[in-house]
């Protein structure tokens, strides 16, 4: 029978006009073509040379700090692309990472290297390493310009960004005349995150250049003008009002007991609102304006957002038309053999019609399941990323307070492992998010297809075996649920005192009696419960696969999880550099040092002025000496306060008086302060 069905399909294929190829109107555009074309390779290969030259030029703009300071005017210095603990220019760094985020998609998923390579797999790893270094140098001037904050750096960065801006817009709109408006809209919808990021840099870089050369002395939101009208805050007040200062003041303040007011619930609608609020409360992100995220952590999560959007857009824009084409092809075959039974149909045609019905409904349901899986996975991934951001803030504040509930203590890891975890975290986070997205999407797609298959079997009347299976197995889960519920109710209302509020046994004989008989049933139930444990582990492991702030291993083995181990090192390094107590102490120390240096310089300047004036005008020295003599003559009590007199009172270097006669031989001077009962002899 199967051979006859194949003959029918081959007969239709020979008689139809189908040429065996799949065409799409969007493939005529260069933006939809494979990005590994010769022009793409040539563009990035040519960009390596000016990028390296710009790197060398920018390196001469900074000086060395420790090595070979007497050579070549301490230049060039080590140029780094980004201060990972920077709190300024966060939006610019996020846009820079967003502009290069598509490279992660192309290198990881499309295997696009700096040059085409299809050789041995072992050599391919070295090709990937070389390509990553080349791509890093290509985009290095953009990050270096934001880090240097100099006019030359901003000028070079602006020119570099404009080249990539032109390239991005040419890829998106370069063939608008060859495709219709719908396809062009899909291209823009696919590339808008990259266009938005690169456009922001193309505008922000020249603006920062103009600010650096002081052509724009005041630009709101970018270069705010200092407060010269209202009351000025001193340095200590700024420290007190900062997030670190408020954190320390909150720690030192005594705890305040807060009494929660009972919520007034009006009717059934109010109860439903309270239930929904309690249910969604753990999943809603709450903003904390006092806490600032570093540019590194925000850039990583933004790259994750763009990659998830990019993969989902590629799936929907390329695979949904394929499902539509398959449906049209199957429908054409059904038109050939007939949609409905006929008296002239042979058994082979009836079997082919039944099989085509199953395939048609399966493909149609797969299309719907594919779209639903993509949409739900995008929403779930965005929720997971927002929850990771909130978890990062919660865990970091917990480390500020010395909490070791979630993050293992620092003593369990060495300092080198913490440093390595800091370097690994960002890359691991992007890779884990990609794997988590693909695995979770596959699970959703499989579950939806199973549900759709059951529905399709019922639609064609071939699901009797499912109904019979449910009729035979339904008593088992109902009985298990009923007995579990009975055990919970008996434990709460019969075997525990005060309705379960007190952990003390009541009705001991009944408890021992029931425990004996339930032992045999729970043995059988444990076999089924073990299967549920495995299923739960798979589901929770797949759900938390992309999250590095939670380990998929037990707590005693969680540091064996490489992702969680990198996250722990990253969090301890963040705590070491962003701890409010340390930052406040350093701020106060810097303020004290600056104040002492300023006062010292002020005193030295005054003494220098006095000595200079006295040296330049000798008669002024005589005038001051005459004034001093007059003052001491009319105020004899001041004589004992003079430096020369006090130095005579100090013991000699030998520290011993040789004889009493020496003391007697010294002249004696008696000073009496009028109006006071004070007399001193010298």
């Amino acid at each position: 029978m199967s051979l006859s069905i194949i003959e029918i399909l081959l007969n239709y294929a020979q008689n139809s006009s189908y040429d065996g190829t799949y065409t799409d109107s969007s493939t005529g555009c260069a933006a939809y073509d494979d990005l590994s074309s010769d022009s793409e390779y040539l563009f990035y290969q040519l960009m390596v040379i000016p990028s390296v030259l710009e790197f060398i030029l920018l390196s001469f703009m900074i000086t060395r700090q420790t090595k070979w300071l007497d050579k070549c005017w301490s230049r060039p210095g080590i140029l780094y692309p980004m201060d990972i603990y920077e709190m300024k220019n966060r939006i610019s760094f996020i846009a820079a990472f967003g502009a290069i985020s598509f490279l992660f998609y192309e290198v990881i998923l499309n295997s696009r290297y700096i040059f085409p390579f299809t050789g041995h797999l072992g050599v391919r790893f070295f090709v990937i390493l070389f390509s990553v270094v080349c791509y890093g140098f290509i985009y290095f001037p953009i990050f270096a310009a934001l880090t240097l904050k100099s006019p030359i750096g901003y000028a070079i960065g602006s020119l570099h960004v404009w080249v990539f801006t032109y390239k991005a817009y040419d890829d998106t709109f370069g063939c608008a005349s060859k495709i219709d408006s719908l396809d062009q809209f899909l291209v823009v919808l696919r590339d808008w995150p990259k266009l938005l990021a690169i456009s922001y840099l193309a505008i922000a870089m020249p603006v920062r250049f103009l600010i650096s050369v002081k052509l724009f002395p005041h630009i709101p939101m970018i270069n705010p003008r200092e407060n010269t009208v209202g009351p000025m805050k001193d340095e200590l007040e700024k420290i007190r009002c900062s997030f670190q200062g408020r954190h320390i003041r909150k720690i030192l303040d005594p705890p305040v007991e807060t009494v929660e007011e009972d919520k007034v619930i009006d009717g059934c609608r109010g109860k439903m609102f309270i239930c929904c609020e309690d249910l969604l409360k753990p999943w809603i992100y709450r903003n904390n304006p006092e806490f600032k995220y570093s540019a590194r952590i925000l850039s990583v999560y933004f790259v994750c957002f763009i990659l998830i959007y990019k993969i989902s857009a590629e799936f929907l824009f390329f695979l949904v038309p394929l499902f539509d084409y398959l449906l049209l092809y199957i429908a054409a075959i059904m038109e050939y053999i007939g949609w409905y039974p006929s008296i002239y149909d042979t058994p082979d045609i009836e079997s082919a019609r039944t099989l085509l019905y199953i395939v048609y409904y399966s493909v149609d349901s797969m299309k719907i399941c594919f779209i639903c899986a993509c949409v739900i996975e995008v929403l779930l991934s965005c929720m997971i990323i927002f929850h990771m951001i909130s978890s990062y803030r919660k865990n970091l504040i917990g480390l500020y307070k010395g909490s070791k509930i979630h993050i293992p203590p620092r003593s369990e890891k060495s300092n080198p492992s913490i440093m390595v975890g800091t370097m690994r975290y960002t890359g691991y986070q992007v890779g884990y998010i990609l794997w988590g997205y693909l695995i979770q999407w596959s699970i959703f797609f499989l579950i939806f297809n199973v549900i759709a298959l059951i529905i399709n079997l019922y639609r064609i009347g071939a699901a009797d075996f499912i109904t019979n299976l449910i009729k035979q197995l339904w008593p088992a889960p109902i009985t298990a649920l009923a007995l579990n519920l009975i055990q919970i109710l008996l434990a709460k209302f019969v075997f525990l005192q005060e309705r379960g509020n007190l952990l003390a046994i009541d009705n001991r004989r009944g408890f021992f009696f029931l425990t004996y008989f339930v032992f045999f049933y729970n043995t059988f139930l444990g076999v089924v419960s073990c299967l549920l444990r495995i299923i739960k582990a798979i589901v929770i492991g797949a759900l938390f696969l992309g999250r590095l702030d939670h380990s998929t291993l037990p707590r005693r083995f969680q540091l064996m999880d490489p992702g969680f181990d990198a996250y722990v090192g990253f969090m301890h390094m963040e705590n070491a550099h962003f701890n409010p107590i340390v930052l406040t102490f350093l701020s106060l120390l810097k303020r004290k040092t600056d104040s002492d240096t300023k006062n010292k310089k002020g005193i030295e300047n005054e003494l220098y002025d006095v000595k200079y004036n006295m040296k330049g005008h000798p008669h002024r020295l005589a005038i001051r000496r005459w004034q001093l003599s007059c003052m001491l003559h009319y105020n004899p009590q001041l004589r004992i306060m003079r430096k020369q007199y006090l130095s005579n009172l100090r013991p000699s270097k030998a520290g011993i008086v040789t004889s009493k006669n020496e003391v007697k031989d010294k002249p004696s001077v008696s000073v009496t302060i009028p109006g006071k009962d004070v007399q001193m002899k010298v």
Side-chain angles (χ1 to χ4, degrees):
M1 181 184 67
S2 60
L3 184 61
S4 301
I5 295 173
I6 295 174
E7 291 177 354
I8 292 173
L9 297 178
L10 290 176
N11 187 20
Y12 167 75
Q14 293 176 359
N15 297 331
S16 63
S17 59
Y18 173 65
D19 58 356
T21 59
Y22 169 65
T23 57
D24 187 5
S25 60
S26 60
T27 57
C29 179
Y32 276 86
D33 292 339
D34 187 8
L35 290 181
S36 60
S37 61
D38 295 338
S39 60
E40 291 288 333
Y41 283 124
L42 183 60
F43 172 76
Y44 284 102
Q45 290 170 4
L46 293 178
M47 284 300 298
V48 172
I49 300 174
S51 300
V52 172
L53 295 177
E54 292 170 5
F55 170 79
I56 297 174
L57 176 61
L58 293 176
S59 298
F60 278 92
M61 296 183 60
I62 58 178
T63 58
R64 295 186 294 271
Q65 300 295 329
T66 56
K67 300 290 185 179
W68 305 301
L69 301 180
D70 56 341
K71 296 181 180 180
C72 195
W73 301 282
S74 300
R75 300 175 187 272
I78 298 178
L79 180 63
Y80 57 91
M82 177 185 178
D83 184 359
I84 61 176
Y85 302 113
E86 180 70 47
M87 287 296 183
K88 299 179 180 179
N89 298 336
R90 293 185 297 172
I91 298 179
S92 298
F93 280 113
I94 291 172
F97 276 100
I100 67 172
S101 59
F102 75 99
L103 283 177
F104 295 96
Y105 174 83
E106 297 297 338
V107 174
I108 296 175
L109 299 180
N110 285 350
S111 300
R112 192 195 73 180
Y113 311 129
I114 196 66
F115 55 86
F117 180 80
T118 57
H120 191 267
L121 181 62
V123 183
R124 184 171 298 181
F125 291 103
F126 296 98
V127 175
I128 293 175
L129 180 61
F130 179 74
S131 300
V132 169
V133 173
C134 291
Y135 286 134
F137 271 107
I138 289 172
Y139 287 92
F140 192 94
I142 300 177
F143 293 92
L146 295 174
T147 302
L148 287 177
K149 302 176 184 178
S150 63
I152 298 178
Y154 284 135
I156 295 175
S158 300
L159 297 176
H160 208 82
V161 167
W162 287 343
V163 173
F164 285 100
T165 303
Y166 174 79
K167 180 68 171 58
Y169 276 90
D170 182 69
D171 291 341
T172 305
F173 300 99
C175 52
S177 60
K178 300 179 182 179
I179 58 177
D180 55 9
S181 58
L182 179 60
D183 292 334
Q184 182 62 48
F185 174 75
L186 295 179
V187 176
V188 175
L189 192 63
R190 184 194 65 176
D191 296 338
W192 73 265
K194 181 178 71 173
L195 296 177
L196 180 63
I198 200 69
S199 299
Y200 176 84
L201 290 176
I203 298 174
M205 282 286 191
V207 172
R208 294 185 184 279
F209 168 75
L210 296 177
I211 294 175
S212 62
V213 296
K214 298 181 180 180
L215 292 180
F216 288 166
H218 166 63
I219 297 179
M221 302 297 292
I222 297 179
N223 185 28
R225 184 179 295 163
E226 296 183 358
N227 183 17
T228 57
V229 180
M232 298 291 293
K233 291 184 179 180
D234 59 354
E235 193 68 24
L236 183 60
E237 185 65 22
K238 291 180 181 179
I239 297 174
R240 288 172 54 87
C241 295
S242 63
F243 167 73
Q244 293 81 10
R246 289 194 298 268
H247 177 81
I248 295 177
R249 290 162 58 189
K250 188 183 298 184
I251 294 176
L252 298 178
D253 290 340
V256 179
E257 297 182 358
T258 57
V259 180
E260 296 184 358
E261 299 180 356
D262 297 335
K263 297 181 180 180
V264 180
I265 302 176
D266 298 332
C268 182
R269 181 179 297 179
K271 294 181 180 179
M272 292 179 60
F273 179 77
I274 295 298
C275 292
C276 294
E277 183 181 1
D278 295 338
L279 182 63
L280 297 176
K281 188 176 181 180
W283 299 93
I284 298 177
Y285 175 79
R286 292 174 179 82
N287 184 32
N288 185 2
E290 297 182 352
F291 185 85
K292 281 189 176 183
Y293 297 93
S294 63
R296 186 189 187 192
I297 195 71
L298 293 177
S299 301
V300 170
Y301 290 136
F302 186 67
V303 169
C304 294
F305 271 119
I306 293 182
L307 286 178
I308 290 171
Y309 180 85
K310 176 74 173 178
I311 296 174
S312 302
E314 296 287 349
F315 279 175
L316 292 175
F317 295 163
F318 285 98
L319 295 182
V320 171
L322 180 60
F323 283 114
D324 293 334
Y325 172 76
L326 290 176
L327 290 175
L328 292 176
Y329 185 68
I330 297 172
I333 298 176
M334 291 295 294
E335 291 289 343
Y336 177 74
I337 65 175
W339 284 91
Y340 302 101
S342 176
I343 58 176
Y344 303 104
D345 292 342
T346 62
D348 294 335
I349 293 178
E350 292 178 357
S351 301
R353 182 183 293 111
T354 304
L355 179 61
L356 288 173
Y357 266 122
I358 296 175
V359 174
Y360 182 83
Y361 288 135
S362 299
V363 174
D364 189 21
S365 60
M366 285 178 63
K367 173 186 173 182
I368 299 174
C369 294
F370 180 82
I371 297 174
C372 293
C374 287
V375 173
I376 293 178
E377 177 56 29
V378 168
L379 296 177
L380 178 63
S381 299
C382 294
M383 186 183 300
I384 288 174
I385 291 176
F386 276 114
H387 201 275
M388 282 193 297
I389 296 175
S390 178
S391 178
Y392 163 81
R393 181 182 62 193
K394 179 181 177 181
N395 293 333
L396 190 57
I397 294 177
L399 287 177
Y400 292 163
K401 300 177 181 179
S403 175
K404 303 176 182 178
I405 298 176
H406 184 71
I407 304 296
R410 185 174 172 179
S411 58
E412 296 186 8
K413 291 176 64 65
S414 61
N415 292 333
S417 63
I418 291 176
M419 178 65 71
V420 171
T422 302
M423 294 186 290
R424 288 177 177 174
Y425 170 71
T426 52
Y428 276 24
Q429 183 63 79
V430 176
Y432 278 57
I433 281 289
L434 290 178
W435 271 112
Y437 176 86
L438 295 176
I439 292 177
Q440 292 169 9
W441 175 86
S442 301
I443 293 175
F444 281 126
F445 185 63
L446 180 62
I447 293 174
F448 292 155
N449 275 285
V450 171
I451 297 173
L453 178 61
I454 296 174
I455 295 174
N456 290 331
L457 291 176
Y458 275 102
R459 289 175 65 181
I460 63 176
D464 295 336
F465 72 96
I466 299 177
T467 305
N468 296 331
L469 186 63
I470 293 175
K471 289 180 180 180
Q472 294 176 5
L473 298 179
W474 72 267
I478 297 299
T479 305
L481 291 175
L483 289 177
N484 285 332
L485 182 61
I486 290 173
Q487 293 181 49
I488 294 173
L489 294 177
L490 289 176
K492 183 175 183 180
F493 296 103
V494 178
F495 300 137
L496 286 177
Q497 298 179 12
E498 297 183 5
R499 294 181 176 271
N501 295 324
L502 185 63
L503 189 61
I505 299 177
D506 192 8
N507 195 0
R508 299 170 63 90
R509 296 180 180 179
F511 172 69
F512 297 152
F513 179 83
L514 184 63
T515 303
Y516 172 76
F517 282 100
V518 170
F519 167 74
F520 301 100
Y521 175 75
N522 286 337
T523 302
F524 169 75
L525 190 62
V527 177
V528 181
S529 178
C530 183
L531 298 177
L532 293 177
R533 182 182 186 183
I534 295 174
I535 295 174
K536 290 179 181 178
I538 294 174
V539 172
I540 295 177
L543 182 64
F544 287 92
L545 183 61
R547 297 190 58 172
L548 298 188
D549 55 340
H550 290 278
S551 176
T552 56
L553 302 179
R555 185 169 181 84
R556 293 187 62 181
F557 305 96
Q558 58 186 358
L559 290 181
M560 296 178 63
D561 183 356
F564 184 75
D565 183 69
Y567 179 78
V568 171
F570 170 75
M571 292 301 297
H572 280 301
M573 186 64 75
E574 292 280 304
N575 179 41
H577 287 79
F578 289 123
N579 193 287
I581 298 176
V582 176
L583 294 180
T584 304
F585 172 74
L586 294 177
S587 299
L588 294 175
L589 189 63
K590 182 177 181 298
R591 173 181 175 272
K592 177 65 175 175
T593 304
D594 294 341
S595 178
D596 293 344
T597 304
K598 183 178 180 181
N599 294 335
K600 184 177 180 180
K601 289 182 178 180
I603 295 174
E604 291 178 353
N605 293 334
E606 291 180 0
L607 294 176
Y608 176 79
D609 293 339
V610 172
K611 292 180 180 179
Y612 178 79
N613 293 332
M614 292 171 61
K615 183 177 180 181
H617 305 277
H619 63 280
R620 292 187 179 181
L621 179 60
I623 294 175
R624 288 192 177 89
R625 287 179 177 176
W626 173 253
Q627 292 176 349
L628 176 62
S629 300
C630 294
M631 182 180 64
L632 294 177
H633 176 73
Y634 292 110
N635 301 281
Q637 66 272 19
L638 297 178
R639 298 176 185 177
I640 61 175
M641 300 180 184
R642 297 200 64 192
K643 180 179 179 181
Q644 183 179 3
Y645 174 79
L646 294 176
S647 62
N648 292 331
L649 292 179
R650 296 176 182 175
S652 61
K653 293 183 180 180
I656 300 175
V657 180
T658 56
S659 64
K660 295 182 180 180
N661 296 327
E662 294 181 359
V663 179
K664 294 179 180 180
D665 294 339
K666 291 183 179 180
S668 176
V669 179
S670 177
V671 179
T672 303
I673 299 176
K676 295 184 180 181
D677 189 11
V678 178
Q679 186 175 7
M680 182 176 294
K681 292 183 178 181
V682 179

